[in-house]
């Protein structure tokens, strides 16, 4: 059979010639009405974000139009983080508890009224769940994500801190003038402050300068790295940091899913607002709306909070949640047991 023009072979199956002499076949749901029943299609519409209206009709989402109606530009200009997902975050936006910055030595964080690091939750904050019986204290693990810019005022370099157990935003820095090496020094201090957090920093562009500063000068080695089975251990430093595209499905897709399924908590208003500014371009790539018309290589030179959050989330996924220490139980009659009994009686009498 020669296909010279668009031809419907059976309902839902259409063949049409291309300019290069090939034949393309378009397969629609109507081709298999037995398997793709109206109930199945309604479930698919709901899965892909379509909304059933009061009159029973569906308001089709761009995901449905792209997958089932083959409209490959349907996502252009659409928000990456659906508003339904971000609305759940809005009531949790907080003012920072305080601000911090480096002291005169440049190695330790201290509180400052105009500090660049916004602290929403302290590293010593207890987990939301009650401690199990026999556990006296816990140290919560933290993950840090970092996106690095050149530091010339064009875009922000960011440090985002999340708790590994709750995936909750604990602290944030965004500075468009900090140099990559200074960012590394700042990040090492933040990581030590937040229970020796695991740091996941971008490697491309200026990120390698930040990573080397943390590793060589600051002697901070708790850095996220790719696992390369074909490399000897002494070359592990070559795999430090996130080497891929910051807006790739491998990194960004997991963060999008976490936002939409309420697996994380954002507390920074500026960070939440920046999430709303991410859209898809005509080719389906994720981009900040202010950069949608820029060449792709220019887009990738911008650092921001959203990428920092995605990297921090990636670090948290590779961490144990908490480190617990058990209560020390003294043998009855021992010196320690007598001291504990004396302290218990004293606290009880003071309470009365």
């Amino acid at each position: 059979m020669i296909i010279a023009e668009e031809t419907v072979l059976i309902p839902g199956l259409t063949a049409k010639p291309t300019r290069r002499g090939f034949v393309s076949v378009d397969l629609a749901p109507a081709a298999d009405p037995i398997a793709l029943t109206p109930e199945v299609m309604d479930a698919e519409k709901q899965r892909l974000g379509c909304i059933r209206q009061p009159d029973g009709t569906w308001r089709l989402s761009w995901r449905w139009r792209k997958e089932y109606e083959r409209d490959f530009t349907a996502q252009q200009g659409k928000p990456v983080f659906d508003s339904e997902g971000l609305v759940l975050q809005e009531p949790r936006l907080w003012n920072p508890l305080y601000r911090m910055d480096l002291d005169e030595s440049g190695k330790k964080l201290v509180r400052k009224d105009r500090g660049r690091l916004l602290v929403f939750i302290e590293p010593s904050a207890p987990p939301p769940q009650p401690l199990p019986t026999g556990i006296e204290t816990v140290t919560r693990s933290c993950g840090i994500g970092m996106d690095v810019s050149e530091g010339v005022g064009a875009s922000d370099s960011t440090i985002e801190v999340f708790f590994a157990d709750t995936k909750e935003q604990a602290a944030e820095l965004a500075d468009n003038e900090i140099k990559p090496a200074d960012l590394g020094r700042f990040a090492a201090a933040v990581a030590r402050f937040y229970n020796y957090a695991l740091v996941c920093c971008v490697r491309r562009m200026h990120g390698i300068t930040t990573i080397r500063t943390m590793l060589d000068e600051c002697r901070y080695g708790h850095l996220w790295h790719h696992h390369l089975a074909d490399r000897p251990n002494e070359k592990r430093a070559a795999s430090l940091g996130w080497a891929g595209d910051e807006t790739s499905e491998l990194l960004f897709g997991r963060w999008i899913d976490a936002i939409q399924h309420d697996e994380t908590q954002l507390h920074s208003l500026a960070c939440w607002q920046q999430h709303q500014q991410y859209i898809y371009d005509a080719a389906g790539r994720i981009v900040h709306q202010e950069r949608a018309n820029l060449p792709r290589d220019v887009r990738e030179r911008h650092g921001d909070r959203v990428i920092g959050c995605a990297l921090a989330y990636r670090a948290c996924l590779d961490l144990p949640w908490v480190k617990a220490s058990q209560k020390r139980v003294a043998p009855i009659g021992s010196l320690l047991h007598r001291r504990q009994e004396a302290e218990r009686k004293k606290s009880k009498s003071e309470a009365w």
Side-chain angles (χ1 to χ4, degrees), residues 51-59:
I51 298 176
R52 188 189 288 273
Q53 302 181 106
D55 60 359
T57 61
W58 288 90
R59 180 159 60 86

Side-chain angles (χ1 to χ4, degrees), residues 260-279:
Q260 293 177 349
H261 290 86
D262 204 27
E263 296 176 4
T264 183
Q265 297 180 27
L266 297 176
H267 297 311
S268 165
L269 174 61
C271 183
W272 177 75
Q273 290 174 335
Q274 196 174 85
H275 277 76
Q276 295 177 307
Q277 297 167 0
Y278 267 77
I279 62 174

Side-chain angles (χ1 to χ4, degrees), residues 231-250:
R231 299 273 185 95
N233 289 336
E234 60 267 18
K235 292 186 178 180
R236 195 181 79 173
S239 64
L240 291 172
W242 182 266
D245 186 349
E246 290 85 7
T247 56
S248 66
E249 182 66 21
L250 186 61

Side-chain angles (χ1 to χ4, degrees), residues 56-301:
T57 61
W58 288 90
R59 180 159 60 86
L60 301 179
S61 68
W62 68 262
R63 292 181 176 86
W64 170 273
R65 298 202 310 274
K66 182 176 181 179
E67 183 167 338
Y68 281 92
E69 299 181 5
R70 280 73 67 197
D71 181 1
F72 298 110
T73 62
Q75 78 281 357
Q76 184 175 2
K78 300 298 182 180
V80 172
F81 300 92
D82 290 343
S83 59
E84 289 83 359
L86 284 178
V87 165
L88 297 175
Q89 302 278 4
E90 188 171 6
R92 304 172 191 171
L93 300 178
W94 298 345
N95 290 324
L97 297 175
Y98 49 82
R99 292 171 173 262
M100 303 188 79
D101 215 307
L102 297 177
D103 62 4
E104 294 180 356
S105 70
K107 297 180 180 180
K108 186 179 178 181
L109 290 176
V110 294
R111 295 192 188 189
K112 292 186 178 181
D113 292 339
R114 295 189 177 184
R116 290 169 289 180
L117 182 72
L118 307 183
V119 175
F120 298 101
I121 308 175
E122 295 180 314
S124 59
Q129 299 84 7
L131 297 181
T133 303
I135 300 299
E136 185 174 19
T137 60
V138 297
T139 300
R140 300 172 70 185
S141 300
C142 296
I144 291 179
M146 297 174 61
D147 202 5
V148 185
S149 71
E150 191 175 0
V152 294
S155 61
D156 287 329
S157 287
T158 58
I159 297 175
E160 295 287 350
V161 185
F162 280 71
F163 283 112
D165 54 344
T166 59
K167 310 300 187 295
E168 185 177 12
Q169 187 181 33
E172 176 183 76
L173 173 142
D175 190 337
N176 61 9
E177 294 183 350
I178 189 170
K179 299 298 181 182
D182 291 333
L183 181 69
R185 298 180 185 99
F186 204 119
V190 174
R192 289 189 171 98
F193 180 72
Y194 273 95
N195 305 330
Y196 285 82
L198 176 62
V199 179
C200 184
C201 179
V202 295
R203 191 197 309 173
R204 297 192 299 173
M205 302 294 292
H206 305 287
I208 192 63
T209 302
T210 301
I211 291 172
R212 297 310 314 188
T213 300
M214 296 184 68
L215 190 64
D216 299 335
E217 179 183 328
C218 302
R219 303 297 181 185
Y220 190 83
H222 198 197
L223 305 177
W224 188 92
H225 63 91
H226 289 282
H227 296 278
L228 302 178
D230 59 341
R231 299 273 185 95
N233 289 336
E234 60 267 18
K235 292 186 178 180
R236 195 181 79 173
S239 64
L240 291 172
W242 182 266
D245 186 349
E246 290 85 7
T247 56
S248 66
E249 182 66 21
L250 186 61
L251 177 68
F252 233 71
R254 189 66 186 86
W255 177 240
I256 293 170
D257 186 71
I259 287 283
Q260 293 177 349
H261 290 86
D262 204 27
E263 296 176 4
T264 183
Q265 297 180 27
L266 297 176
H267 297 311
S268 165
L269 174 61
C271 183
W272 177 75
Q273 290 174 335
Q274 196 174 85
H275 277 76
Q276 295 177 307
Q277 297 167 0
Y278 267 77
I279 62 174
Y280 292 99
D281 66 9
R285 293 185 294 261
I286 297 171
V287 61
H288 192 282
Q289 62 186 15
E290 294 180 356
R291 310 167 199 158
N293 297 321
L294 297 177
R296 187 176 182 182
D297 61 334
V298 177
R299 299 177 189 177
E300 295 172 353
R301 296 174 192 163

Side-chain angles (χ1 to χ4, degrees), residues 31-61:
D32 191 358
I34 297 177
L36 301 177
T37 62
E39 292 76 16
V40 171
M41 298 309 295
D42 285 349
E44 276 293 282
K45 289 176 180 177
Q46 188 173 10
R47 180 182 69 85
L48 294 172
C50 301
I51 298 176
R52 188 189 288 273
Q53 302 181 106
D55 60 359
T57 61
W58 288 90
R59 180 159 60 86
L60 301 179
S61 68

Side-chain angles (χ1 to χ4, degrees), residues 306-327:
V306 181
I307 293 174
C309 288
L311 292 166
Y313 187 79
R314 175 66 265 174
C316 287
L317 294 177
D318 295 330
L319 281 170
W321 287 5
V322 296
K323 297 178 181 178
S325 60
Q326 294 183 339
K327 294 180 180 179

